[in-house]
Amino acid sequence: MPEVEKFHPFIKKRYPISWKIGERMMKSSILLLLVFILAGCESADPRPKIFPANVFTLNDHVCVLVPAAEGEFLLSVEINGTGSEERLRKVFIHNKPIYLSSQRCVPLFGYQFESGRAYGVSVQAVTQENQQNNTAGRIYTVSFSLWKDQSNKLQVAIQ
């Protein structure tokens, strides 16, 4: 497209503007603006990261395993059952921290799970570094239901 003269109201004189360059600049400005709007700054997010936990039964007891990082210890455990008023929530003060391991079941403090019900378990873990820097730890969560098989053994299905 040929160059055209356009009047600029503030400069009060005529100057040539290429419409093609103007269109290209406008498109790239919009694209750049969209990238900045849609790209979030993940490091500034104060919420704890959420990771999946695993659950299985061992000798008719529920065992929740978390992929704990080195040095993570228990901050809180929450167990919610559907159709049940029974709920457990424990928060810990760390005079003697309970360290988590990916090889050991998370302590569930004697919660009585029942066959035929669904449950949600959330485990919040932190490290010494998290506490010193006042940053969020990690949350491990799993939802599952329990039933008894033909041999009356407790079974679990992750939802």
Side-chain angles (χ1 to χ4, degrees):
M1 185 175 271
E3 291 190 71
V4 260
E5 284 195 359
K6 182 159 176 100
F7 178 77
H8 192 285
F10 300 114
I11 301 177
K12 304 235 186 235
K13 68 177 189 179
R14 296 178 181 270
Y15 64 95
I17 294 180
S18 168
W19 286 108
K20 248 185 181 176
I21 293 174
E23 277 183 40
R24 208 175 299 141
M25 283 179 55
M26 183 66 146
K27 285 180 184 177
S28 44
S29 297
I30 290 172
L31 181 63
L32 190 59
L33 180 65
L34 284 174
V35 167
F36 281 123
I37 289 172
L38 295 177
C41 185
E42 189 174 320
S43 63
D45 189 358
R47 296 173 295 181
K49 303 270 185 267
I50 299 174
F51 296 91
N54 197 7
V55 64
F56 63 93
T57 57
L58 182 64
N59 299 328
D60 278 350
H61 289 88
V62 174
C63 176
V64 175
L65 288 178
V66 297
E70 181 72 28
E72 276 189 321
F73 53 90
L74 202 53
L75 181 63
S76 70
V77 174
E78 186 168 349
I79 304 171
N80 292 302
T82 58
S84 169
E85 297 298 318
E86 196 70 29
R87 176 182 163 192
L88 173 81
R89 177 156 172 72
K90 284 197 174 268
V91 179
F92 301 93
I93 299 172
H94 298 291
N95 294 335
K96 292 186 178 179
I98 300 170
Y99 285 94
L100 297 172
S101 166
S102 58
Q103 306 298 314
R104 258 189 349 245
C105 297
V106 172
L108 300 175
F109 305 97
Y111 186 87
Q112 296 298 311
F113 291 95
E114 296 176 18
S115 176
R117 296 200 178 197
Y119 296 93
V121 176
S122 293
V123 176
Q124 187 170 4
V126 293
T127 62
Q128 290 290 340
E129 183 181 332
N130 292 135
Q131 288 191 327
Q132 290 169 353
N133 297 336
N134 202 21
T135 56
R138 303 198 298 178
I139 294 177
Y140 302 98
T141 184
V142 64
S143 296
F144 59 95
S145 55
L146 296 172
W147 81 95
K148 294 218 176 194
D149 64 10
Q150 292 174 347
S151 61
N152 209 29
K153 288 183 74 175
L154 193 62
Q155 301 293 320
V156 66
I158 296 176
Q159 298 172 338

